[in-house]
Amino acid sequence: MSNMMRDSQIMAQTKDENLGYMSDMALELAQMAEDTGLATLAYLFRMAALEASTANSELNDTDDLRRRVTSH
């Protein structure tokens, strides 16, 4: 049972890292688009970064809730 919990934590950490990476990359692409005068593309990349960071925080909130519910 502890192996399943450990694997679940590793998977959640990997998802967290991937979402953080996607958010950072989208912000870098937004800056490059802005620098080349592509405002609409920059806006879309910023929205993608926001979506990734929002998904990241929702993932953390779900994990916290699950820990509180199962830690009795």
Side-chain angles (χ1 to χ4, degrees), residues 7-33:
D7 291 346
S8 176
Q9 289 174 344
I10 291 170
M11 288 174 53
Q13 182 180 1
T14 301
K15 285 180 186 178
D16 184 40
E17 290 171 0
N18 288 341
L19 288 169
Y21 175 76
M22 286 190 291
S23 180
D24 292 345
M25 194 50 81
L27 287 174
E28 287 184 34
L29 290 169
Q31 186 60 51
M32 285 190 277

Side-chain angles (χ1 to χ4, degrees), residues 29-54:
L29 290 169
Q31 186 60 51
M32 285 190 277
E34 188 76 33
D35 292 345
T36 57
L38 301 171
T40 302
L41 187 59
Y43 173 79
L44 292 174
F45 279 124
R46 285 193 179 90
M47 291 299 103
L50 179 62
E51 185 70 26
S53 67
T54 303

